[in-house]
Amino acid sequence: MPFEEVANAFSSMEGVTSRIQLTQLLAGLLKRTPADVIDKVVYMIQGKLGPDWKGIPELGVGDKLLVQSMAMAYGKSESDVQRLVDKLGDPGKVAEQLAQTGGHIKSSLLAFMGGASEQLTVSRVFDSFMKIAYATGESSRDLKLKTLAGLLKDAKPIEARYIVRFVEGRLRLGIGDATILDALSVAYGGTTAVRDVVERAYNLRADLGEIARIVAQQGVEALKGLKPEVGTPIRPMLAERASDAKEILAKVGGRAYVEYKYDGERGQIHKDGDKVKIFSRRMEDITSMYPDVVEGVKDAIKAERAIIEGEIVAIDPDTGELRPFQELMQRRRKYDIDKMMKEIPTRLFLFDIMMKDDEDLTTKPLPYRRKVLESIVQPNERVVMSNYIESSDPDEIMNFFLQAISDGAEGVMIKAIHDESTYRAGVRGWLWVKLKRDYRSEMTDTVDLVVVGAFYGKGKRGGKLGTLLLAAYDPDNDVFKTVCKVGTGFTDADINGMYDMFKPHIIDHRHPRVISSIEADVWLEPVKVAEVIGAELTLSPAHTCCMDTIRKGAGISIRFPRFIRWRDDKGPEDATTEQELLEMYKRQLKKVEEKSTESEA
Ligand code: ATP
């Protein structure tokens, strides 16, 4: 296909502000485009060389190189070209003008640019852009210059305008994905009536060029049976949001899966034999940032090919507990990946599967998908299934929600499990509903808590006591009630000395003055007091301090607690009391309420 046809179409679209008219012009162009180059035309319309997730490099042609290419193509001096650019303010127009007037090119330059002229085709233009994008190394500048000048030399004036604008990244036709989908539907379906089919296909394979090629080659009908493809990202299914468990249950059909809503980064994972790719929520290829996830997946996933989804979360290497999102974000970098991988290890919590070998699972209900997923996952240190319950009881859901928060998750995802609970790619709907907290508060004061038990650590703390179970004092009953587990904030020296320090106090059963619903690895006499601080006080069904006081079935706990120092100046009865924690929690709530009235006012 001559590139001139595309350039002419671009020219007629320029300045059109009516979307309907733009769609018609675009549909006309797509209809005239042969199937074997339609993908290239679609990418060019988007001002791209392919979908973002392919990670095709930028063209890397700066202003200076552009001027040089024009000077070379049209036999002008660089300063002449620069003057024209300054005058017209649009290098595309300059190229167009210079191509019109023509120029005298020295034969030596002509040879440098690739010899005699020939008509430009879509393929040649696109392939030259690719060559420019992928040119690397010492001679890359020369190669870019030569390739671009070669194109411009052969370009008709109107072609030169759009070649230059594309290279500059200033095509600005105002055509978004939605308009392209409309135009494809009109061009190959006759009307926008087939738009749903085209859109569904695009949601399953986020590559507009590829969708256009299938439609042009095989017709819209072929899209109906389209399956996801390993290697091509699926547009993620999205959730609605609500704040009341009962209301959510009604929306999702009365009974649901309630899963931890992990606070990390969504990862869509494509496994093809030994090859693993990870795409982000926005479908960027983030594989290189998470080599540990890649290794984990290779080991854990027992299917030759699969597309699965989960949340990548930062994990405390010593305790295995969840860490906040901000810590994970430090992993989002191009350099020092190995170092960060050791400092901030991750774990992948899997919650869905869309494809297993050749079976398209997006059309299957969630319980079926979960079963298939479980059947191919052999959990390891890096990859596990998401924590969930099946429930139709709002109270049970709220307790699970509180448990999720105090474990460091953001809340829960409540998911429909009826027959229609398919994976709706790219769609935000009421099949998934997120239940998050509508408040966030801060713990401003430290508390002094009594150590009543301990747990063995993980990783480099393997075999050593690394996490402590802490309790507040209840003077009325003279007992200690648990508040949290703390494994963060200890130095290596603290950890190395921990066993010896506690050895005299180890007992083989829970101390009679300790009220705990958690089983410790090692029980201790309540003698030592630790000062800790956390992100905030939260409710938790796992801890016994203030149990049933604020909420039935829940106690008060500390989220993301951190050890500060030993308080050897305090005896266990001098520790923060249950009543004090209750007051702190109430003060915290009051602050949150004040903040929200302030923001409402
Ligand atoms: P959205 O993705 O809905 O536009 P957002 O980007 O602000 O909104 P959230 O509101 O936090 O994200 O909620 C959705 C995200 O929650 C998902 O994209 C996913 O990354 C994350 N998530 C964590 N746990 C789960 C889970 N068990 N099931 C589904 N998603 C989960």
Side-chain angles (χ1 to χ4, degrees):
M1 180 188 203
F3 182 64
E4 193 179 4
E5 267 198 58
V6 175
N8 281 331
F10 285 1
S11 172
S12 57
M13 288 176 208
E14 220 173 275
V16 174
T17 51
S18 141
R19 187 157 166 234
I20 297 176
Q21 207 184 337
L22 204 56
T23 308
Q24 273 161 358
L25 288 169
L26 191 57
L29 170 65
L30 294 176
K31 189 135 190 80
R32 292 194 300 277
T33 304
D36 62 334
V37 292
I38 196 168
D39 51 347
K40 296 178 178 173
V41 171
V42 166
Y43 299 139
M44 285 206 255
I45 290 166
Q46 296 180 297
K48 297 177 182 176
L49 293 174
D52 293 340
W53 52 264
K54 281 204 173 152
I56 297 167
E58 299 274 313
L59 286 167
V61 176
D63 294 350
K64 192 153 184 330
L65 190 57
L66 190 61
V67 167
Q68 257 181 333
S69 328
M70 289 197 267
M72 182 182 278
Y74 304 121
K76 300 279 180 208
S77 73
E78 282 173 44
S79 54
D80 281 350
V81 175
Q82 187 61 55
R83 241 190 315 277
L84 264 177
V85 169
D86 293 343
K87 192 169 142 212
L88 297 182
D90 174 0
K93 280 264 153 65
V94 173
E96 185 173 9
Q97 197 173 325
L98 288 173
Q100 235 146 23
T101 46
H104 173 77
I105 306 171
K106 283 193 208 129
S107 57
S108 57
L109 272 181
L110 199 63
F112 177 75
M113 291 183 288
S117 62
E118 51 183 273
Q119 196 198 27
L120 290 186
T121 59
V122 165
S123 287
R124 180 172 158 209
V125 174
F126 189 86
D127 296 348
S128 300
F129 287 160
M130 279 294 213
K131 206 158 134 189
I132 293 171
Y134 279 103
T136 50
E138 254 176 48
S139 55
S140 68
R141 199 172 187 284
D142 242 18
L143 186 65
K144 286 179 200 263
L145 175 64
K146 182 169 148 181
T147 311
L148 184 54
L151 271 185
L152 290 175
K153 166 182 70 68
D154 291 344
K156 300 207 168 84
I158 192 85
E159 295 175 324
R161 187 204 297 176
Y162 290 104
I163 288 170
V164 167
R165 290 217 182 133
F166 187 93
V167 168
E168 275 189 298
R170 272 184 33 176
L171 213 47
R172 302 212 181 120
L173 296 171
I175 296 172
D177 290 1
T179 311
I180 299 181
L181 292 174
D182 282 345
L184 274 175
S185 313
V186 173
Y188 293 94
T191 62
T192 48
V194 295
R195 163 72 204 237
D196 284 353
V197 178
V198 180
E199 181 164 342
R200 181 188 160 272
Y202 177 48
N203 284 338
L204 285 181
R205 290 196 198 175
D207 182 343
L208 267 182
E210 157 98 351
I211 297 298
R213 199 179 46 74
I214 297 171
V215 175
Q217 268 169 357
Q218 304 165 44
V220 175
E221 276 304 302
L223 291 183
K224 286 193 177 149
L226 197 77
K227 294 180 190 175
E229 188 179 53
V230 178
T232 304
I234 299 175
R235 295 166 72 76
M237 176 164 175
L238 301 172
E240 287 288 354
R241 180 188 189 133
S243 55
D244 180 66
K246 208 168 154 192
E247 178 197 328
I248 298 176
L249 272 176
K251 289 261 188 208
V252 298
R255 195 167 180 78
Y257 282 176
V258 185
E259 294 176 9
Y260 272 26
K261 181 178 187 308
Y262 297 94
D263 197 7
E265 164 154 40
R266 188 170 186 157
Q268 187 180 102
I269 291 147
H270 291 234
K271 177 180 183 289
D272 188 356
D274 231 13
K275 283 195 263 9
V276 171
K277 269 196 180 158
I278 311 173
F279 296 108
S280 72
R281 155 90 170 75
R282 298 172 54 206
M283 292 175 295
E284 308 145 305
D285 186 339
I286 49 169
T287 315
S288 63
M289 292 170 195
Y290 296 113
D292 42 353
V293 177
V294 170
E295 285 314 307
V297 164
K298 279 187 197 168
D299 175 66
I301 304 302
K302 307 296 172 199
E304 190 51 24
R305 284 179 307 123
I307 306 178
I308 54 181
E309 213 166 31
E311 190 86 349
I312 303 168
V313 188
I315 291 289
D316 184 318
D318 302 319
T319 63
E321 284 169 2
L322 304 177
R323 299 300 304 156
F325 173 72
Q326 291 75 356
E327 287 189 20
L328 182 79
M329 282 304 98
Q330 298 178 45
R331 286 287 302 269
R332 256 189 163 256
R333 51 165 68 204
K334 293 212 169 94
Y335 309 102
D336 287 337
I337 284 174
D338 282 350
K339 184 171 153 252
M340 292 313 288
M341 206 162 80
K342 288 202 187 83
E343 279 174 28
I344 306 172
T346 59
R347 183 166 298 155
L348 170 68
F349 293 88
L350 290 170
F351 53 74
D352 221 318
I353 180 163
M354 293 83 105
M355 189 89 184
K356 179 187 170 260
D357 297 322
D358 288 320
E359 189 184 3
D360 175 4
L361 294 163
T362 60
T363 57
K364 300 286 196 301
L366 178 59
Y368 182 87
R369 299 203 301 279
R370 176 114 193 166
K371 238 186 235 122
V372 174
L373 183 58
E374 275 166 4
S375 77
I376 64 158
V377 177
Q378 214 165 70
N380 59 29
E381 190 54 25
R382 299 260 150 269
V383 182
V384 298
M385 292 292 298
S386 69
N387 193 7
Y388 86 115
I389 54 169
E390 187 181 323
S391 180
S392 52
D393 172 2
D395 277 338
E396 187 182 31
I397 292 177
M398 278 320 283
N399 275 346
F400 193 67
F401 168 81
L402 294 173
Q403 179 71 56
I405 302 268
S406 80
D407 281 350
E410 252 195 314
V412 290
M413 278 284 194
I414 302 179
K415 299 183 177 175
I417 52 175
H418 49 65
D419 290 351
E420 308 293 310
S421 59
T422 54
Y423 189 95
R424 310 241 169 109
V427 177
R428 188 185 298 281
W430 289 99
L431 288 182
W432 287 10
V433 187
K434 49 195 177 196
L435 178 62
K436 294 204 260 189
R437 293 172 306 161
D438 40 14
Y439 63 88
R440 233 209 112 70
S441 51
E442 248 172 63
M443 186 171 171
T444 44
D445 229 355
T446 61
V447 288
D448 301 320
L449 300 171
V450 185
V451 185
V452 298
F455 303 86
Y456 289 106
K458 301 200 168 150
K460 66 179 190 320
R461 290 192 192 171
K464 296 178 186 164
L465 293 182
T467 299
L468 303 178
L469 181 60
L470 303 181
Y473 183 51
D474 167 6
D476 295 343
N477 300 297
D478 193 26
V479 292
F480 300 95
K481 296 177 172 172
T482 71
V483 174
C484 65
K485 292 202 276 183
V486 65
T488 305
F490 297 113
T491 61
D492 286 349
D494 285 336
I495 296 292
N496 290 334
M498 191 102 66
Y499 187 82
D500 286 343
M501 184 166 78
F502 282 112
K503 201 168 164 198
H505 306 296
I506 294 180
I507 45 180
D508 61 4
H509 52 80
R510 181 172 49 77
H511 193 276
R513 285 174 72 204
V514 170
I515 316 281
S516 171
S517 53
I518 291 177
E519 265 309 303
D521 291 347
V522 172
W523 287 110
L524 299 168
E525 287 177 306
V527 284
K528 209 147 168 75
V529 177
E531 182 174 343
V532 295
I533 192 156
E536 63 186 315
L537 295 176
T538 54
L539 297 181
S540 161
H543 290 282
T544 52
C545 173
C546 301
M547 177 54 81
D548 296 332
T549 316
I550 299 275
R551 200 193 135 78
K552 200 171 160 10
I556 288 182
S557 179
I558 297 174
R559 196 161 181 249
F560 297 128
R562 184 161 40 85
F563 170 81
I564 307 224
R565 57 188 167 144
W566 296 115
R567 291 299 304 262
D568 289 334
D569 55 331
K570 284 196 168 183
E573 288 84 9
D574 302 318
T576 303
T577 63
E578 186 177 37
Q579 187 61 30
E580 281 174 312
L581 271 165
L582 181 63
E583 297 302 325
M584 280 175 83
Y585 183 81
K586 285 184 180 162
R587 272 202 303 277
Q588 188 186 277
L589 266 192
K590 206 159 148 243
K591 259 199 219 153
V592 173
E593 276 161 16
E594 278 165 10
K595 258 195 220 156
S596 63
T597 17
E598 263 169 41
S599 57
E600 272 165 31

